[in-house]
Amino acid sequence: MRVVSLVPSLTEAVAVSLPGVLAGATDWCTHPADLDVPRLGGTKNPRVDEIVALAPDLVVANEEENRGPDLAALRAAGVEVLVTEVRDVPQAFRELDRVLRACGARGRPRWLDEAEAAWAAVEPGAPRRSAVVPIWRRPWMVLGRDTFAGDVLARLGVDHLYASHADRYPKVPLEELRAAAPDLVVLPDEPYRFTPGDGPEAFPGLPCALVSGRLLTWYGPSLAVAPRELASALRAARP
């Protein structure tokens, strides 16, 4: 079986569970750190001709991270493409199981069982807290409706204030974000790399939690430790 992954979290899941199966990945596939496969462009701009030349048995993709025209071009070239949809934690487990079986797994890997058990054991503390969750600046963009990261936070007792917005990733002026007066601001290090010196200064007086984007947005082996480590980062939020 030869698989090309166009999704960093799925790349990690396949590489850890089925060593030797991956034939290619994107430039953004950073885990496992020692992954040695051809790099085929970004998630939004994969080099379709190079993927086709690798003659993979399967390309795994995601409806949000990858563009429809690229996937259509792969299919037109005769490549089988499996497209995932992940909007919440339970769906992540179902889709991971589907992807791994399509890639040749005969059963569920241990890390997937451990991850599901870790999330089943989560008991959000009280009281619940409100948050804004920027994912970009210049312009400011935040989590909106129907997102995997939003569901992750909700299960940890944090309700983001734009969960009912019409857009999934709305652009919101900074003044409006401040005026919303959330209990905390959650700043991940991807897709925009917020850091202690780049992000918190925009929200004076508000507690800011700097969190791993991999723990917040990836659906793969990191799911096993995400509940504990994200909860710790959220508790450590400081103005």
Side-chain angles (χ1 to χ4, degrees):
M1 188 74 173
R2 290 169 52 80
V3 176
V4 168
S5 173
L6 300 181
V7 184
S9 53
L10 296 180
T11 296
E12 183 180 15
V14 174
V16 168
S17 307
L18 298 162
V21 165
L22 277 178
T26 77
D27 299 339
W28 299 105
C29 293
T30 57
H31 288 72
D34 60 352
L35 182 65
D36 183 17
V37 296
R39 302 301 174 141
L40 304 163
T43 57
K44 305 296 186 187
N45 56 347
R47 294 188 289 275
V48 172
D49 55 342
E50 293 182 24
I51 297 173
V52 173
L54 286 174
D57 300 298
L58 181 68
V59 170
V60 292
N62 176 263
E63 49 88 28
E64 178 177 50
E65 294 199 48
N66 306 119
R67 301 186 318 127
D70 295 322
L71 304 183
L74 288 168
R75 291 189 175 106
V79 177
E80 183 178 353
V81 180
L82 185 158
V83 181
T84 59
E85 178 183 302
V86 178
R87 303 293 178 88
D88 57 37
V89 173
Q91 190 175 30
F93 293 132
R94 293 193 299 271
E95 290 289 66
L96 283 165
D97 188 64
R98 182 167 74 101
V99 166
L100 293 175
R101 289 184 184 279
C103 292
R106 296 185 178 181
R108 288 166 58 96
R110 181 176 178 179
W111 66 260
L112 187 53
D113 288 333
E114 291 175 349
E116 197 157 11
W119 280 99
V122 168
E123 295 182 1
R128 298 186 69 84
R129 292 179 290 173
S130 64
V132 294
V133 189
I135 60 166
W136 203 258
R137 66 183 302 175
R138 295 185 293 272
W140 286 92
M141 298 175 66
V142 299
L143 289 186
R145 64 170 178 84
D146 197 22
T147 65
F148 172 74
D151 186 63
V152 165
L153 290 171
R155 291 171 187 274
L156 297 174
V158 176
D159 301 309
H160 70 94
L161 295 178
Y162 291 87
S164 60
H165 197 281
D167 298 327
R168 297 187 66 213
Y169 302 101
K171 297 177 182 178
V172 183
L174 179 59
E175 295 74 16
E176 181 179 325
L177 297 178
R178 292 169 174 164
D183 295 321
L184 74 159
V185 179
V186 180
L187 297 169
D189 61 9
E190 61 177 76
Y192 185 91
R193 188 172 181 80
F194 289 105
T195 68
D198 184 358
E201 83 290 343
F203 301 94
L206 289 176
C208 291
L210 290 157
V211 304
S212 162
R214 177 169 169 262
L215 295 177
L216 182 63
T217 65
W218 287 35
Y219 33 91
S222 58
L223 281 169
V225 298
R228 179 182 71 255
E229 295 189 14
L230 281 175
S232 177
L234 294 169
R235 286 193 300 268
R238 295 289 184 272

